[in-house]
Amino acid sequence: MSNNLVIVESPAKAKTIEGFLGEGFTVKSSYGHVRDLAKKGFGVDIENNFSPNYEIPPDKAKVVAELKKLAKSASTVWLATDEDREGEAISWHLFESLDLDEKRTKRIVFHEITKTAIKNAIATPRTIDKHLVDAQQARRILDRLVGFELSPVLWKKVRPSLSAGRVQSVAVRLIVEREREVMNFKSTSSYKVVANFLSGNSVVKAELGTKFKTLDEARAFLKKCASADFTIENVETKPSKKSPSAPFTTSTLQQEASRKLGFSVAQTMVVAQRLYESGNITYMRTDSVNLSDTAINQAKEAITGNYGARYLNIRQYKNKSKGAQEAHEAIRPTYIDKSTISGDSADRRLYELIWKRTIASQMSDAELEKTTATISISSTTEKFVAQGEVLKFDGFLKVYMESTDDEDEENQEGMLPPMKIGEKLKANDITATERFTHHPARFTEASLVKKLEELGIGRPSTYAPTISTIQKREYVVKEDREGTQRNFNIATLKNGSVTEEIKTEGTGAEKAKLFPTDIGMVVTDFLLAQFPQIMDFNFTAKVEEEFDEIAEGKISWTKMLDAFYKPFHKNVIDTSENSERASGERLLGIDPETGKNVIVRIGRFGPMAQIGDSNDENNKPKFAALRKDQRIDTITFEEAMDLFKLPRTVGEFEGKEMVVAIGRFGPYIRHNSIFISLKKEDDPMTITSDRAIELIKAKRQAEIDKYIKSFPENPSVQVLNGRWGPYLAIDKNNYKLPKGTDPHQLTLEDCLAIAADPKNASKGNRFKKKETVLAPKKAAPAKKVAKKAPAKKAAAKKTAVKKTAKKAVK
C-alpha cells in the first residue's frame, strides 16, 4: 500500500495538482459534494437535536464507489478540498462516506495551486476542523428549515410554486425597497450657472456657488452680469494624493469586473474558478485583503524592474468587512511576474484585472496639485469658483484606476492656466442650465453585492448564488430599460444680451439594472408583514455572525439552531392558520359596460387584470394577463382595459387564423397550433397581418437553420446552431465543440467522445458530464437506453448512504 490518494472537488484542479505531485500520488475528483441532506422530507430530525439525515445522491453513487475502492488500496488518503467552510464540509463528507481510517487520512489546505504550495501542504497536514464543518452544517440546515417551512406558506397564501430563503428574501427586499424609493421620488429642478472666462489665450471654466430655483431668478442673475467686472479674488493651491485600493476580495472583484469588464457576478466566479484551478490565481472566495510575504516580494521585483524604485511603496491592508471568515489571502496572481496569460478572452481579461490591482496596491501614491480660484462679480455678492487638477506624479495610476458605480462625467476637473489675484477676466459666455434631481440609483449586481457586504448579509461564497437564485425564481429581473424625453430650459448671456431656448434630453434609461417583479414585490410585502424577524437586515447579519462563532468553536451549532427554530416555527404555524391571502390587489376603476370593479393582482400564473368579483358564482369574472413591461403598481385603468381586447385575430395565412394574445412569457401569435413570440418593437394591439406573416416565416426559417446534423441510429444526439455558434446536444445536456471542429463532419462516435471527455465536466451549465450519455456507444436504440435509466437510478438509490455522524474528527 504505497500509493497516495489525493481527493479534490473538481477535475481541472485534480489535473493541475497531479502534475505537481508526480509518481506515487493519484489525484481524483469528487465532482463537488458527495452527500447532501435527504430530499425526502426536511432531511433533518428536528426532535433529535437537529440531527441531519445525509444521503448520497444517485448521480454520485458511482463516484463514491470508485473513490472508496481507491481509498482501500491507498496507504494515505489526502483530503485536499478548498480551505473554506464548504471545502471543509466536503472533506468531512468524504471521510464519512468512504469509511476512511482516521490514522491513514490527512487534511491539507492551500490557497494557491502551485508546486511550492502543494508540497508545503503535504509537509504540514492537519485533521478535519469540525468547527468549520459545524458552521457549514448549521448554515445548510437552517436554510433548509427556512426554505421548507416558508415556501408552503407562500403556496397557500400567495401562489403555488413560490419559494423563500433566509438570504435571498432579504436581498429581494433591498431591491423592492429601492424600487419604491424610485417610484415615490419627486424630481425637482434648479438652474446651474457655468461661465467660460478668457484668461490670456486660455479658457477658464467656473461654476457659480449658488443654484437658482426658477428661470426668472437665473435670468435676473444673468442680466446683473451683463455689465459686471470679473476679478480673481483668491487663488489657492494645495498638494493632494490618491492612494491605491486594496487587493481584491471576492466582493470587490465581483464589483470591479462588473464595472470594467461588464461581467455578471456569476460569470466572474466561473472565470475566477477556472483561473484558480489552472494555477493562475489564489483562492477566489475570500474576504481578506492581506498579501503573503512571497507575493509582496514578487510585486517588489515586478514594480522596480518595470517602473523604477520611485514607484514602489509596500503596504499591508486591513479588513473592513463585517465578520471576515478564515484568514485567507487576497485574490492575486500566483506568479506576479506574469502580467498576462494565454487562454480565452474572459480568462485573460479577468486575470489582467487581478494582476493590475495587485501590482497597484504596492505602488506609490499618485501626487496631484489642486487649484481653486474664486472669482468675484462687481454687480452681486455671488461668486464663481474654478477648480483644476494637475497630475504631478502618476504613481499607481500608471497601472490601474478603480472605477465607481456613479462616475460624474459632468463634473470632471481639468487643468487651470496660471492665475493671479486681482487679475481681470472677460466673460466669453455665462449659461444657466436647468438640471434635475435624480432618484436613488437602482441596484446593479455589483452594487447589490456591495450593499450585502456592508450589511453583513452573506459571505464571499454566497453572493453569486444569491443573486442568481433571485433572478432564476423571477423575483427580480436584470434588464435594460429605455428612458423618456424631457424638455429643459437654457438661458445664455453672450455679448451683453440674454437668449433663451428649450432643448430636449433623454432621461431614465437604465442598463443592466435589477428590477423587482410584481410577484417579488407581493412576496416581500407578505414576508415583511408576517415574518419581520426573517426579513430584518440586522437579524440576518446576526445569524451570519453566529455562524462565524460556530466556526471559531465559541458556540454550539445545535443550540444556535434551537434558539432560532422554536420562535420561527411558531410564527409559521400562526401565519399559515390565521393570515389573509396576499395578491397585491389594486383597484383601478369601474368597467363602464358592466359597472364591475377593474382590479389588477397576482393570479395563479402571474400578474393579471380582472373585471368582476371572483366570488360571484353567477357572473364569472374576466381575466387578462399583464404584459411583461407592465407592473401592478403602475398600470393605468386604460392600459388594463386594453388588455381585454386580446386575443384578437389579425388575419389569415395559409387558410389558418393568426391570433395575437399575451401569455406567461409575453405577447405571441398563434397560427396552426404554433406559437411565435413577438419582438420587442411589436405591439400586440397594433401588429398588422403582414408583420405577423413575416414573423411566422422567420420562425420557420430559424427552425430549419437550427439543425446542422442528426443521427437516425440515436435521435437524442444532435448538432445544433445556437446563439453562440454550433454546439452538441444530447438529451437535455449541451456541450461545447472543440476549437477547429467542423460541425458538419462530426460522426456519432465523435459526438459521444466529446460528451465523455472529462474536460467537459466542470465548465459551467453548458458542459455537463452524464454517465448515461455513453450508453449509445453500443448502438442500442434510444428507447432502450431510456428504459434502462430508471433501473440504474433505483439501483443507485439502494446504495445511497444515509448517515448522521460517525466518527469524532477534530
Side-chain angles (χ1 to χ4, degrees):
M1 293 199 305
S2 61
N3 185 45
N4 290 276
L5 175 64
V6 181
I7 305 176
V8 297
E9 306 97 316
S10 76
K13 189 175 173 183
K15 185 179 179 183
T16 306
I17 291 174
E18 194 161 39
F20 295 140
L21 291 174
E23 288 186 14
F25 286 86
T26 301
V27 187
K28 290 291 180 180
S29 168
S30 68
Y31 294 92
H33 275 282
V34 294
R35 292 197 312 182
D36 195 8
L37 295 174
K39 288 188 176 181
K40 189 174 182 182
F42 276 55
V44 180
D45 188 347
I46 296 167
E47 302 300 323
N48 188 22
N49 211 21
F50 299 94
S51 178
N53 177 20
Y54 291 116
E55 68 176 14
I56 298 172
D59 63 340
K60 287 298 177 71
K62 188 174 178 180
V63 172
V64 170
E66 181 189 0
L67 292 175
K68 188 178 282 191
K69 184 179 178 181
L70 290 169
K72 281 183 179 178
S73 61
S75 58
T76 305
V77 177
W78 305 81
L79 300 175
T81 52
D82 290 341
E83 59 176 335
D84 58 7
R85 296 172 195 172
E86 206 69 29
E88 204 72 19
I90 292 173
S91 280
W92 179 72
H93 284 300
L94 284 165
F95 183 87
E96 296 274 311
S97 303
L98 305 183
D99 295 318
L100 297 180
D101 181 354
E102 193 172 349
K103 293 178 181 178
R104 295 192 297 114
T105 304
K106 295 181 179 180
R107 171 80 170 114
I108 57 173
V109 295
F110 38 85
H111 62 267
E112 63 184 25
I113 303 177
T114 61
K115 189 170 186 176
T116 302
I118 302 304
K119 292 286 186 181
N120 286 342
I122 292 288
T124 56
R126 61 171 174 79
T127 55
I128 293 170
D129 187 333
K130 194 58 168 56
H131 294 315
L132 293 182
V133 174
D134 287 345
Q136 190 275 344
Q137 283 195 114
R139 178 187 291 279
R140 183 75 186 93
I141 290 169
L142 190 147
D143 288 347
R144 170 65 72 93
L145 293 174
V146 170
F148 272 41
E149 295 221 355
L150 276 188
S151 297
V153 175
L154 294 180
W155 304 342
K156 183 177 179 181
K157 299 296 182 179
V158 183
R159 199 186 84 183
S161 303
L162 295 176
S163 69
R166 183 182 57 85
V167 177
Q168 76 171 54
S169 297
V170 175
V172 175
R173 177 189 171 184
L174 283 169
I175 296 165
V176 167
E177 290 184 345
R178 179 59 55 85
E179 188 64 23
R180 291 207 166 119
E181 285 180 52
V182 172
M183 289 165 62
N184 295 329
F185 184 81
K186 303 297 182 188
S187 182
T188 58
S189 68
S190 60
Y191 286 81
K192 174 182 175 180
V193 181
V194 175
N196 288 310
F197 295 106
L198 300 179
S199 174
N201 295 322
S202 302
V203 176
V204 176
K205 183 178 178 181
E207 183 177 334
L208 194 70
T210 308
K211 289 185 179 179
F212 299 109
K213 290 184 178 180
T214 66
L215 179 58
D216 287 340
E217 290 177 6
R219 187 189 300 119
F221 171 78
L222 293 180
K223 287 179 178 178
K224 284 182 187 178
C225 293
S227 57
D229 294 325
F230 303 95
T231 307
I232 297 177
E233 185 177 275
N234 187 42
V235 178
E236 188 176 8
T237 300
K238 285 183 178 180
S240 68
K241 290 184 177 182
K242 279 186 180 176
S243 298
S245 301
F248 281 130
T249 62
T250 301
S251 68
T252 55
L253 177 63
Q254 289 168 344
Q255 291 166 50
E256 195 72 343
S258 173
R259 299 181 194 117
K260 273 189 159 57
L261 308 180
F263 286 7
S264 69
V265 167
Q267 182 185 4
T268 298
M269 294 313 292
V270 168
V271 177
Q273 180 99 23
R274 283 205 301 268
L275 291 173
Y276 168 66
E277 291 177 349
S278 59
N280 285 310
I281 64 170
T282 52
Y283 191 55
M284 66 286 157
R285 281 187 273 274
T286 177
D287 42 24
S288 171
V289 291
N290 292 323
L291 291 178
S292 67
D293 290 341
T294 302
I296 289 175
N297 287 333
Q298 287 182 17
K300 182 177 179 180
E301 289 180 17
I303 293 164
T304 54
N306 292 323
Y307 311 110
R310 189 185 174 192
Y311 283 87
L312 179 67
N313 185 0
I314 297 302
R315 294 175 171 86
Q316 277 289 10
Y317 295 85
K318 291 184 179 180
N319 278 333
K320 293 181 181 177
S321 62
K322 290 185 180 181
Q325 242 186 68
E326 297 78 34
H328 300 154
E329 196 176 352
I331 302 169
R332 62 162 176 86
T334 49
Y335 303 104
I336 294 178
D337 58 336
K338 289 170 57 179
S339 61
T340 189
I341 57 168
S342 57
D344 67 27
S345 173
D347 288 17
R348 191 170 60 254
R349 291 172 72 205
L350 190 66
Y351 177 86
E352 289 171 0
L353 184 69
I354 294 167
W355 183 86
K356 288 177 181 177
R357 177 84 164 220
T358 305
I359 285 288
S361 74
Q362 301 305 312
M363 292 179 72
S364 301
D365 291 342
E367 296 173 8
L368 305 106
E369 189 175 81
K370 286 196 170 187
T371 302
T372 302
T374 306
I375 301 164
S376 65
I377 310 166
S378 62
S379 59
T380 180
T381 57
E382 283 101 348
K383 300 180 191 298
F384 281 102
V385 177
Q387 291 184 320
E389 192 174 78
V390 178
L391 184 64
K392 292 289 192 178
F393 173 63
D394 54 2
F396 77 93
L397 294 177
K398 196 173 193 72
V399 174
Y400 180 82
M401 179 67 178
E402 185 179 16
S403 301
T404 63
D405 288 315
D406 44 33
E407 292 175 355
D408 186 359
E409 293 181 9
E410 197 173 301
N411 291 321
Q412 295 294 320
E413 293 178 355
M415 290 178 61
L416 292 179
M419 304 177 80
K420 294 179 181 179
I421 295 174
E423 181 183 346
K424 299 291 184 184
L425 300 176
K426 181 183 177 182
N428 185 58
D429 59 76
I430 304 175
T431 303
T433 305
E434 187 178 17
R435 297 289 78 199
F436 299 85
T437 53
H438 194 269
H439 60 68
R442 291 183 171 93
F443 285 109
T444 61
E445 287 190 351
S447 61
L448 181 60
V449 167
K450 185 177 181 181
K451 188 66 176 178
L452 290 170
E453 186 179 37
E454 285 174 0
L455 293 170
I457 297 169
R459 288 295 180 261
S461 60
T462 64
Y463 299 137
T466 297
I467 289 172
S468 296
T469 297
I470 61 179
Q471 292 178 65
K472 285 176 186 171
R473 292 179 175 167
E474 297 183 350
Y475 289 144
V476 170
V477 293
K478 182 175 79 171
E479 62 187 20
D480 301 344
R481 290 192 181 172
E482 293 181 0
T484 56
Q485 294 293 307
R486 73 177 170 201
N487 294 332
F488 66 101
N489 295 304
I490 293 181
T492 304
L493 169 66
K494 192 172 178 69
N495 298 325
S497 63
V498 177
T499 58
E500 296 179 13
E501 60 180 323
I502 297 174
K503 287 190 173 182
T504 303
E505 64 182 355
T507 182
E510 302 278 20
K511 186 173 183 181
K513 294 293 179 68
L514 298 174
F515 297 86
T517 61
D518 283 328
I519 192 65
M521 296 181 94
V522 171
V523 167
T524 296
D525 290 344
F526 177 79
L527 292 175
L528 269 171
Q530 304 299 332
F531 297 93
Q533 189 179 40
I534 289 290
M535 298 294 284
D536 181 72
F537 301 135
N538 292 328
F539 174 76
T540 308
K542 181 175 177 290
V543 170
E544 294 291 349
E545 289 170 2
E546 288 178 336
F547 290 148
D548 295 339
E549 290 176 347
I550 294 168
E552 294 164 7
K554 293 180 179 177
I555 61 174
S556 161
W557 69 279
T558 52
K559 287 181 180 177
M560 176 263 185
L561 287 177
D562 188 56
F564 169 87
Y565 182 72
K566 283 180 179 176
F568 168 69
H569 181 66
K570 184 180 178 183
N571 194 359
V572 168
I573 298 300
D574 181 61
T575 302
S576 183
E577 292 177 356
N578 302 316
S579 71
E580 297 291 326
R581 283 187 60 85
S583 66
E585 183 175 307
R586 178 171 161 247
L587 177 65
L588 298 181
I590 305 295
D591 176 23
E593 287 188 17
T594 63
K596 294 180 179 178
N597 286 342
V598 179
I599 62 170
V600 281
R601 65 180 181 88
I602 294 292
R604 186 177 181 83
F605 299 110
M608 65 178 190
Q610 176 179 326
I611 299 176
D613 188 352
S614 300
N615 298 320
D616 189 344
E617 295 182 3
N618 298 321
N619 297 292
K620 289 187 177 181
K622 292 180 182 179
F623 303 102
L626 266 60
R627 292 161 57 168
K628 273 192 171 182
D629 59 348
Q630 293 175 327
R631 299 286 176 266
I632 286 178
D633 281 1
T634 57
I635 190 172
T636 65
F637 175 79
E638 291 74 18
E639 289 167 341
M641 293 306 293
D642 279 345
L643 295 172
F644 292 97
K645 296 175 183 177
L646 298 174
R648 71 183 186 93
T649 301
V650 295
E652 284 193 3
F653 178 53
E654 297 175 344
K656 302 284 185 179
E657 283 188 339
M658 296 180 292
V659 179
V660 178
I662 296 177
R664 290 179 68 186
F665 306 106
Y668 65 87
I669 303 163
R670 186 179 72 249
H671 175 258
N672 197 21
S673 301
I674 302 293
F675 297 87
I676 302 97
S677 295
L678 268 59
K679 303 293 182 186
K680 267 189 175 180
E681 61 268 23
D682 295 315
D683 187 335
M685 307 306 301
T686 59
I687 189 169
T688 64
S689 175
D690 289 344
R691 175 60 177 159
I693 293 170
E694 184 184 334
L695 290 172
I696 291 167
K697 288 181 176 179
K699 168 86 171 177
R700 289 176 180 175
Q701 189 60 46
E703 283 296 309
I704 293 168
D705 295 342
K706 178 181 176 182
Y707 295 93
I708 297 174
K709 200 162 188 182
S710 59
F711 305 93
E713 63 270 38
N714 192 340
S716 66
V717 180
Q718 295 176 320
V719 184
L720 304 174
N721 245 327
R723 188 174 175 184
W724 293 282
Y727 67 97
L728 171 63
I730 302 180
D731 293 322
K732 293 182 179 179
N733 296 310
N734 300 334
Y735 304 86
K736 187 177 182 179
L737 300 181
K739 283 185 179 179
T741 301
D742 183 348
H744 298 89
Q745 300 301 318
L746 287 171
T747 64
L748 177 60
E749 289 71 24
D750 293 335
C751 294
L752 295 174
I754 290 169
D757 188 342
K759 290 178 184 176
N760 288 340
S762 63
K763 294 186 180 178
N765 62 357
R766 284 196 69 197
F767 313 107
K768 297 181 181 178
K769 181 180 179 184
K770 205 169 184 179
E771 299 299 333
T772 53
V773 165
L774 300 179
K777 275 189 174 179
K778 299 178 181 177
K783 287 184 179 177
K784 289 185 179 179
V785 174
K787 286 180 181 177
K788 286 180 183 176
K792 286 183 181 178
K793 285 184 180 178
K797 280 182 181 176
K798 289 180 182 177
T799 63
V801 181
K802 295 185 179 182
K803 299 181 180 180
T804 52
K806 187 185 71 172
K807 301 174 184 174
V809 186
K810 295 182 181 178

